Amino acid sequence: METMMTLASSVIGGSVQTASAALLGRDGQSVVAPALGTEALFFFRMDSAEDVRRREVSAGRLDKLPPLETLLTLPVGLPVPLASLDQRERRALRALPAGAADRNRKVVTRWAVRPLQIDLAVVRASGWRQGLERAGRFAPFFRRAMLQQRMRHTGEALRRDSNLRPPFNLDRS
């Protein structure tokens, strides 16, 4: 983690943030965090309205999967009759933390929405195969990139790593 933090403050503090500025906008923030079996630098934007709403209602953490999955099937701000939900869904709703939804004996109304938008994940890798594999873990969710720790400068090394055969001329000499 310390190595990644050093990387985040030095290299990413300059070149990656500069390169990604057009993609991410001015209100973007970043954090290094573990996810999906690797560490990545995540660029994200907070939904300030949802952040304020959660603070005002002292919302609890929404981190249990069955209640979250059920909540995400409900429309935001529209009452849904509890009778239209099956027993598993009603049980999951009872486990929702404070502030996620309002529920009475007849209806449930969802209020919680996604609190942030992740725009980009940057993974560190020692080679391009490792980088593609690590970055690819995030493909279903958001844009991703890799930062290779060291670059090989010859076309011969790239051909050797990728099993490319001539007539490809990758040398730029």
Side-chain angles (χ1 to χ4, degrees):
M1 179 77 165
E2 187 174 297
T3 304
M4 189 63 164
M5 291 305 285
T6 302
L7 176 70
S9 11
S10 61
V11 174
I12 293 183
S15 61
V16 174
Q17 285 185 338
T18 300
S20 61
L23 298 172
L24 306 175
R26 286 180 245 194
D27 58 344
Q29 301 176 47
S30 62
V31 65
V32 175
L36 303 177
T38 190
E39 277 189 337
L41 174 67
F42 296 97
F43 291 90
F44 64 95
R45 288 172 287 131
M46 293 295 299
D47 178 334
S48 57
E50 178 64 2
D51 185 46
V52 168
R53 187 197 71 77
R54 288 183 183 208
R55 289 176 196 271
E56 286 176 351
V57 299
S58 300
R61 290 178 54 147
L62 190 51
D63 58 359
K64 292 190 174 38
L65 201 52
L68 177 59
E69 287 174 333
T70 300
L71 183 71
L72 292 175
T73 66
L74 302 176
V76 177
L78 297 175
V80 174
L82 288 172
S84 69
L85 304 174
D86 64 31
Q87 184 177 16
R88 181 193 59 80
E89 292 169 319
R90 288 192 300 271
R91 186 172 42 252
L93 290 176
R94 285 192 294 273
L96 283 172
D102 290 334
R103 185 172 51 93
N104 61 31
R105 295 178 132 177
K106 299 203 182 251
V107 297
V108 60
T109 305
R110 171 186 168 188
W111 298 115
V113 297
R114 180 174 51 188
L116 58 85
Q117 170 68 42
I118 298 177
D119 295 309
L120 177 67
V122 179
V123 297
R124 193 172 56 133
S126 58
W128 67 271
R129 286 179 197 252
Q130 180 189 53
L132 288 177
E133 187 275 323
R134 286 181 179 173
R137 297 174 193 176
F138 299 104
F141 311 108
F142 33 80
R143 292 181 289 191
R144 66 264 178 231
M146 70 170 157
L147 181 63
Q148 198 166 341
Q149 290 175 331
R150 57 178 161 62
M151 295 292 293
R152 293 191 176 144
H153 296 288
T154 68
E156 184 57 41
L158 183 57
R159 276 193 294 277
R160 184 176 55 248
D161 284 353
S162 65
N163 297 320
L164 291 175
R165 299 288 178 249
F168 301 105
N169 183 3
L170 300 173
D171 289 318
R172 297 189 183 216
S173 41

